[in-house]
Amino acid sequence: MTLGPPLLPPVVPEMALVSAGAVGGALLRFASSEAAKRRDAGPLVILALNILGSFALGSLSGNGAARRQQLLLGVGFCGAFTTFSTFSMDTITMIQHGQFRRAAAYVLASNTLSLGAAYAGYCFKLPTPMVHKLRAPLKANGG
């Protein structure tokens, strides 16, 4: 007995995982950016977010996270948490204000530290129970 074609294409549950992760990452980034504005620390906070996100994404890859965890935490959360567009606009603003050395230092620090953090995260080995959870498939029914 066949039940017919599935109601949703197979990619829809994966899109839901990416969306769920993105909501969390975007909200955390927004809260961090707003707090930074109140403390006049804008570009430094974006730098820190990008470094943390790079480490987290590297750690997911280095610890062999399953596809669904990669979608939820890597593509969704880290993708929304880190922000190349804000980094780019912060750099342009510095250049427009004649802060050429600061802009160059920001670009150099952002790229060097984010790449270094991604590599450190990739090399960082989580405790075995956490690795097993990362590698275990998420259940499609939410359980």
mmCIF file with all atom_site columns, all heavy atoms in Angstrom, residues 110-128:
data_model
loop_
_atom_site.group_PDB
_atom_site.id
_atom_site.type_symbol
_atom_site.label_atom_id
_atom_site.label_alt_id
_atom_site.label_comp_id
_atom_site.label_asym_id
_atom_site.label_entity_id
_atom_site.label_seq_id
_atom_site.pdbx_PDB_ins_code
_atom_site.Cartn_x
_atom_site.Cartn_y
_atom_site.Cartn_z
_atom_site.occupancy
_atom_site.B_iso_or_equiv
_atom_site.pdbx_formal_charge
_atom_site.auth_seq_id
_atom_site.auth_comp_id
_atom_site.auth_asym_id
_atom_site.auth_atom_id
_atom_site.pdbx_PDB_model_num
ATOM 1   N N   . SER A 1 110 ? 40.182 41.452 11.578 1.00 0.00 ? 110 SER A N   1
ATOM 2   C CA  . SER A 1 110 ? 38.983 40.639 11.323 1.00 0.00 ? 110 SER A CA  1
ATOM 3   C C   . SER A 1 110 ? 39.320 39.382 10.542 1.00 0.00 ? 110 SER A C   1
ATOM 4   O O   . SER A 1 110 ? 38.881 38.280 10.895 1.00 0.00 ? 110 SER A O   1
ATOM 5   C CB  . SER A 1 110 ? 37.938 41.457 10.553 1.00 0.00 ? 110 SER A CB  1
ATOM 6   O OG  . SER A 1 110 ? 37.438 42.494 11.350 1.00 0.00 ? 110 SER A OG  1
ATOM 7   N N   . ASN A 1 111 ? 40.096 39.537 9.494  1.00 0.00 ? 111 ASN A N   1
ATOM 8   C CA  . ASN A 1 111 ? 40.431 38.375 8.671  1.00 0.00 ? 111 ASN A CA  1
ATOM 9   C C   . ASN A 1 111 ? 41.387 37.424 9.378  1.00 0.00 ? 111 ASN A C   1
ATOM 10  O O   . ASN A 1 111 ? 41.161 36.218 9.407  1.00 0.00 ? 111 ASN A O   1
ATOM 11  C CB  . ASN A 1 111 ? 41.010 38.839 7.328  1.00 0.00 ? 111 ASN A CB  1
ATOM 12  C CG  . ASN A 1 111 ? 39.927 39.370 6.431  1.00 0.00 ? 111 ASN A CG  1
ATOM 13  O OD1 . ASN A 1 111 ? 39.112 38.623 5.931  1.00 0.00 ? 111 ASN A OD1 1
ATOM 14  N ND2 . ASN A 1 111 ? 39.897 40.672 6.258  1.00 0.00 ? 111 ASN A ND2 1
ATOM 15  N N   . THR A 1 112 ? 42.426 37.966 9.970  1.00 0.00 ? 112 THR A N   1
ATOM 16  C CA  . THR A 1 112 ? 43.417 37.120 10.633 1.00 0.00 ? 112 THR A CA  1
ATOM 17  C C   . THR A 1 112 ? 42.817 36.391 11.829 1.00 0.00 ? 112 THR A C   1
ATOM 18  O O   . THR A 1 112 ? 42.975 35.169 11.969 1.00 0.00 ? 112 THR A O   1
ATOM 19  C CB  . THR A 1 112 ? 44.626 37.971 11.089 1.00 0.00 ? 112 THR A CB  1
ATOM 20  O OG1 . THR A 1 112 ? 45.163 38.637 9.947  1.00 0.00 ? 112 THR A OG1 1
ATOM 21  C CG2 . THR A 1 112 ? 45.688 37.119 11.734 1.00 0.00 ? 112 THR A CG2 1
ATOM 22  N N   . LEU A 1 113 ? 42.129 37.131 12.693 1.00 0.00 ? 113 LEU A N   1
ATOM 23  C CA  . LEU A 1 113 ? 41.581 36.519 13.904 1.00 0.00 ? 113 LEU A CA  1
ATOM 24  C C   . LEU A 1 113 ? 40.424 35.568 13.599 1.00 0.00 ? 113 LEU A C   1
ATOM 25  O O   . LEU A 1 113 ? 40.292 34.526 14.240 1.00 0.00 ? 113 LEU A O   1
ATOM 26  C CB  . LEU A 1 113 ? 41.161 37.603 14.893 1.00 0.00 ? 113 LEU A CB  1
ATOM 27  C CG  . LEU A 1 113 ? 42.316 38.454 15.430 1.00 0.00 ? 113 LEU A CG  1
ATOM 28  C CD1 . LEU A 1 113 ? 41.783 39.606 16.277 1.00 0.00 ? 113 LEU A CD1 1
ATOM 29  C CD2 . LEU A 1 113 ? 43.300 37.608 16.225 1.00 0.00 ? 113 LEU A CD2 1
ATOM 30  N N   . SER A 1 114 ? 39.583 35.907 12.627 1.00 0.00 ? 114 SER A N   1
ATOM 31  C CA  . SER A 1 114 ? 38.478 35.008 12.276 1.00 0.00 ? 114 SER A CA  1
ATOM 32  C C   . SER A 1 114 ? 38.990 33.719 11.643 1.00 0.00 ? 114 SER A C   1
ATOM 33  O O   . SER A 1 114 ? 38.503 32.625 11.964 1.00 0.00 ? 114 SER A O   1
ATOM 34  C CB  . SER A 1 114 ? 37.486 35.709 11.338 1.00 0.00 ? 114 SER A CB  1
ATOM 35  O OG  . SER A 1 114 ? 36.831 36.749 12.016 1.00 0.00 ? 114 SER A OG  1
ATOM 36  N N   . LEU A 1 115 ? 39.986 33.830 10.771 1.00 0.00 ? 115 LEU A N   1
ATOM 37  C CA  . LEU A 1 115 ? 40.571 32.620 10.193 1.00 0.00 ? 115 LEU A CA  1
ATOM 38  C C   . LEU A 1 115 ? 41.263 31.785 11.270 1.00 0.00 ? 115 LEU A C   1
ATOM 39  O O   . LEU A 1 115 ? 41.142 30.559 11.308 1.00 0.00 ? 115 LEU A O   1
ATOM 40  C CB  . LEU A 1 115 ? 41.571 32.969 9.088  1.00 0.00 ? 115 LEU A CB  1
ATOM 41  C CG  . LEU A 1 115 ? 40.959 33.428 7.772  1.00 0.00 ? 115 LEU A CG  1
ATOM 42  C CD1 . LEU A 1 115 ? 42.043 33.994 6.853  1.00 0.00 ? 115 LEU A CD1 1
ATOM 43  C CD2 . LEU A 1 115 ? 40.245 32.280 7.091  1.00 0.00 ? 115 LEU A CD2 1
ATOM 44  N N   . GLY A 1 116 ? 41.984 32.455 12.147 1.00 0.00 ? 116 GLY A N   1
ATOM 45  C CA  . GLY A 1 116 ? 42.640 31.747 13.245 1.00 0.00 ? 116 GLY A CA  1
ATOM 46  C C   . GLY A 1 116 ? 41.637 31.066 14.157 1.00 0.00 ? 116 GLY A C   1
ATOM 47  O O   . GLY A 1 116 ? 41.842 29.934 14.593 1.00 0.00 ? 116 GLY A O   1
ATOM 48  N N   . ALA A 1 117 ? 40.536 31.753 14.455 1.00 0.00 ? 117 ALA A N   1
ATOM 49  C CA  . ALA A 1 117 ? 39.501 31.173 15.310 1.00 0.00 ? 117 ALA A CA  1
ATOM 50  C C   . ALA A 1 117 ? 38.829 29.979 14.635 1.00 0.00 ? 117 ALA A C   1
ATOM 51  O O   . ALA A 1 117 ? 38.538 28.969 15.283 1.00 0.00 ? 117 ALA A O   1
ATOM 52  C CB  . ALA A 1 117 ? 38.464 32.225 15.677 1.00 0.00 ? 117 ALA A CB  1
ATOM 53  N N   . ALA A 1 118 ? 38.577 30.084 13.337 1.00 0.00 ? 118 ALA A N   1
ATOM 54  C CA  . ALA A 1 118 ? 37.977 28.959 12.612 1.00 0.00 ? 118 ALA A CA  1
ATOM 55  C C   . ALA A 1 118 ? 38.902 27.743 12.664 1.00 0.00 ? 118 ALA A C   1
ATOM 56  O O   . ALA A 1 118 ? 38.451 26.618 12.904 1.00 0.00 ? 118 ALA A O   1
ATOM 57  C CB  . ALA A 1 118 ? 37.688 29.351 11.163 1.00 0.00 ? 118 ALA A CB  1
ATOM 58  N N   . TYR A 1 119 ? 40.195 27.973 12.487 1.00 0.00 ? 119 TYR A N   1
ATOM 59  C CA  . TYR A 1 119 ? 41.150 26.861 12.544 1.00 0.00 ? 119 TYR A CA  1
ATOM 60  C C   . TYR A 1 119 ? 41.232 26.292 13.959 1.00 0.00 ? 119 TYR A C   1
ATOM 61  O O   . TYR A 1 119 ? 41.247 25.075 14.139 1.00 0.00 ? 119 TYR A O   1
ATOM 62  C CB  . TYR A 1 119 ? 42.527 27.315 12.061 1.00 0.00 ? 119 TYR A CB  1
ATOM 63  C CG  . TYR A 1 119 ? 43.541 26.197 12.067 1.00 0.00 ? 119 TYR A CG  1
ATOM 64  C CD1 . TYR A 1 119 ? 43.452 25.159 11.142 1.00 0.00 ? 119 TYR A CD1 1
ATOM 65  C CD2 . TYR A 1 119 ? 44.563 26.166 13.000 1.00 0.00 ? 119 TYR A CD2 1
ATOM 66  C CE1 . TYR A 1 119 ? 44.351 24.117 11.146 1.00 0.00 ? 119 TYR A CE1 1
ATOM 67  C CE2 . TYR A 1 119 ? 45.475 25.135 13.015 1.00 0.00 ? 119 TYR A CE2 1
ATOM 68  C CZ  . TYR A 1 119 ? 45.376 24.109 12.092 1.00 0.00 ? 119 TYR A CZ  1
ATOM 69  O OH  . TYR A 1 119 ? 46.271 23.079 12.116 1.00 0.00 ? 119 TYR A OH  1
ATOM 70  N N   . ALA A 1 120 ? 41.273 27.174 14.964 1.00 0.00 ? 120 ALA A N   1
ATOM 71  C CA  . ALA A 1 120 ? 41.312 26.708 16.357 1.00 0.00 ? 120 ALA A CA  1
ATOM 72  C C   . ALA A 1 120 ? 40.060 25.902 16.686 1.00 0.00 ? 120 ALA A C   1
ATOM 73  O O   . ALA A 1 120 ? 40.146 24.854 17.340 1.00 0.00 ? 120 ALA A O   1
ATOM 74  C CB  . ALA A 1 120 ? 41.451 27.896 17.310 1.00 0.00 ? 120 ALA A CB  1
ATOM 75  N N   . GLY A 1 121 ? 38.909 26.382 16.227 1.00 0.00 ? 121 GLY A N   1
ATOM 76  C CA  . GLY A 1 121 ? 37.674 25.640 16.442 1.00 0.00 ? 121 GLY A CA  1
ATOM 77  C C   . GLY A 1 121 ? 37.694 24.292 15.757 1.00 0.00 ? 121 GLY A C   1
ATOM 78  O O   . GLY A 1 121 ? 37.231 23.291 16.302 1.00 0.00 ? 121 GLY A O   1
ATOM 79  N N   . TYR A 1 122 ? 38.247 24.267 14.555 1.00 0.00 ? 122 TYR A N   1
ATOM 80  C CA  . TYR A 1 122 ? 38.340 23.009 13.816 1.00 0.00 ? 122 TYR A CA  1
ATOM 81  C C   . TYR A 1 122 ? 39.217 22.003 14.552 1.00 0.00 ? 122 TYR A C   1
ATOM 82  O O   . TYR A 1 122 ? 38.920 20.815 14.600 1.00 0.00 ? 122 TYR A O   1
ATOM 83  C CB  . TYR A 1 122 ? 38.896 23.273 12.411 1.00 0.00 ? 122 TYR A CB  1
ATOM 84  C CG  . TYR A 1 122 ? 38.920 22.040 11.547 1.00 0.00 ? 122 TYR A CG  1
ATOM 85  C CD1 . TYR A 1 122 ? 37.774 21.636 10.882 1.00 0.00 ? 122 TYR A CD1 1
ATOM 86  C CD2 . TYR A 1 122 ? 40.067 21.280 11.412 1.00 0.00 ? 122 TYR A CD2 1
ATOM 87  C CE1 . TYR A 1 122 ? 37.778 20.496 10.096 1.00 0.00 ? 122 TYR A CE1 1
ATOM 88  C CE2 . TYR A 1 122 ? 40.084 20.142 10.631 1.00 0.00 ? 122 TYR A CE2 1
ATOM 89  C CZ  . TYR A 1 122 ? 38.928 19.753 9.977  1.00 0.00 ? 122 TYR A CZ  1
ATOM 90  O OH  . TYR A 1 122 ? 38.937 18.621 9.209  1.00 0.00 ? 122 TYR A OH  1
ATOM 91  N N   . CYS A 1 123 ? 40.281 22.485 15.173 1.00 0.00 ? 123 CYS A N   1
ATOM 92  C CA  . CYS A 1 123 ? 41.216 21.616 15.895 1.00 0.00 ? 123 CYS A CA  1
ATOM 93  C C   . CYS A 1 123 ? 40.727 21.278 17.304 1.00 0.00 ? 123 CYS A C   1
ATOM 94  O O   . CYS A 1 123 ? 41.187 20.307 17.900 1.00 0.00 ? 123 CYS A O   1
ATOM 95  C CB  . CYS A 1 123 ? 42.591 22.279 15.982 1.00 0.00 ? 123 CYS A CB  1
ATOM 96  S SG  . CYS A 1 123 ? 43.399 22.446 14.379 1.00 0.00 ? 123 CYS A SG  1
ATOM 97  N N   . PHE A 1 124 ? 39.815 22.078 17.846 1.00 0.00 ? 124 PHE A N   1
ATOM 98  C CA  . PHE A 1 124 ? 39.321 21.891 19.211 1.00 0.00 ? 124 PHE A CA  1
ATOM 99  C C   . PHE A 1 124 ? 38.479 20.626 19.269 1.00 0.00 ? 124 PHE A C   1
ATOM 100 O O   . PHE A 1 124 ? 37.530 20.458 18.508 1.00 0.00 ? 124 PHE A O   1
ATOM 101 C CB  . PHE A 1 124 ? 38.486 23.101 19.617 1.00 0.00 ? 124 PHE A CB  1
ATOM 102 C CG  . PHE A 1 124 ? 37.890 23.005 20.990 1.00 0.00 ? 124 PHE A CG  1
ATOM 103 C CD1 . PHE A 1 124 ? 38.681 23.169 22.108 1.00 0.00 ? 124 PHE A CD1 1
ATOM 104 C CD2 . PHE A 1 124 ? 36.541 22.765 21.160 1.00 0.00 ? 124 PHE A CD2 1
ATOM 105 C CE1 . PHE A 1 124 ? 38.142 23.100 23.376 1.00 0.00 ? 124 PHE A CE1 1
ATOM 106 C CE2 . PHE A 1 124 ? 35.982 22.685 22.422 1.00 0.00 ? 124 PHE A CE2 1
ATOM 107 C CZ  . PHE A 1 124 ? 36.776 22.855 23.536 1.00 0.00 ? 124 PHE A CZ  1
ATOM 108 N N   . LYS A 1 125 ? 38.824 19.742 20.172 1.00 0.00 ? 125 LYS A N   1
ATOM 109 C CA  . LYS A 1 125 ? 38.087 18.489 20.291 1.00 0.00 ? 125 LYS A CA  1
ATOM 110 C C   . LYS A 1 125 ? 37.181 18.530 21.513 1.00 0.00 ? 125 LYS A C   1
ATOM 111 O O   . LYS A 1 125 ? 37.629 18.730 22.636 1.00 0.00 ? 125 LYS A O   1
ATOM 112 C CB  . LYS A 1 125 ? 39.045 17.283 20.383 1.00 0.00 ? 125 LYS A CB  1
ATOM 113 C CG  . LYS A 1 125 ? 39.879 17.104 19.124 1.00 0.00 ? 125 LYS A CG  1
ATOM 114 C CD  . LYS A 1 125 ? 39.002 16.967 17.891 1.00 0.00 ? 125 LYS A CD  1
ATOM 115 C CE  . LYS A 1 125 ? 39.798 16.973 16.618 1.00 0.00 ? 125 LYS A CE  1
ATOM 116 N NZ  . LYS A 1 125 ? 39.054 17.306 15.446 1.00 0.00 ? 125 LYS A NZ  1
ATOM 117 N N   . LEU A 1 126 ? 35.902 18.388 21.258 1.00 0.00 ? 126 LEU A N   1
ATOM 118 C CA  . LEU A 1 126 ? 34.906 18.385 22.322 1.00 0.00 ? 126 LEU A CA  1
ATOM 119 C C   . LEU A 1 126 ? 34.982 17.078 23.100 1.00 0.00 ? 126 LEU A C   1
ATOM 120 O O   . LEU A 1 126 ? 35.441 16.058 22.567 1.00 0.00 ? 126 LEU A O   1
ATOM 121 C CB  . LEU A 1 126 ? 33.507 18.531 21.722 1.00 0.00 ? 126 LEU A CB  1
ATOM 122 C CG  . LEU A 1 126 ? 33.183 19.868 21.074 1.00 0.00 ? 126 LEU A CG  1
ATOM 123 C CD1 . LEU A 1 126 ? 31.881 19.774 20.299 1.00 0.00 ? 126 LEU A CD1 1
ATOM 124 C CD2 . LEU A 1 126 ? 33.100 20.950 22.133 1.00 0.00 ? 126 LEU A CD2 1
ATOM 125 N N   . PRO A 1 127 ? 34.495 17.073 24.355 1.00 0.00 ? 127 PRO A N   1
ATOM 126 C CA  . PRO A 1 127 ? 34.415 15.815 25.103 1.00 0.00 ? 127 PRO A CA  1
ATOM 127 C C   . PRO A 1 127 ? 33.548 14.803 24.352 1.00 0.00 ? 127 PRO A C   1
ATOM 128 O O   . PRO A 1 127 ? 32.580 15.170 23.691 1.00 0.00 ? 127 PRO A O   1
ATOM 129 C CB  . PRO A 1 127 ? 33.765 16.226 26.429 1.00 0.00 ? 127 PRO A CB  1
ATOM 130 C CG  . PRO A 1 127 ? 34.009 17.697 26.543 1.00 0.00 ? 127 PRO A CG  1
ATOM 131 C CD  . PRO A 1 127 ? 34.057 18.218 25.136 1.00 0.00 ? 127 PRO A CD  1
ATOM 132 N N   . THR A 1 128 ? 33.877 13.543 24.474 1.00 0.00 ? 128 THR A N   1
ATOM 133 C CA  . THR A 1 128 ? 33.219 12.472 23.718 1.00 0.00 ? 128 THR A CA  1
ATOM 134 C C   . THR A 1 128 ? 31.694 12.503 23.792 1.00 0.00 ? 128 THR A C   1
ATOM 135 O O   . THR A 1 128 ? 31.039 12.387 22.751 1.00 0.00 ? 128 THR A O   1
ATOM 136 C CB  . THR A 1 128 ? 33.756 11.099 24.172 1.00 0.00 ? 128 THR A CB  1
ATOM 137 O OG1 . THR A 1 128 ? 35.172 11.102 23.976 1.00 0.00 ? 128 THR A OG1 1
ATOM 138 C CG2 . THR A 1 128 ? 33.146 9.967  23.373 1.00 0.00 ? 128 THR A CG2 1
#
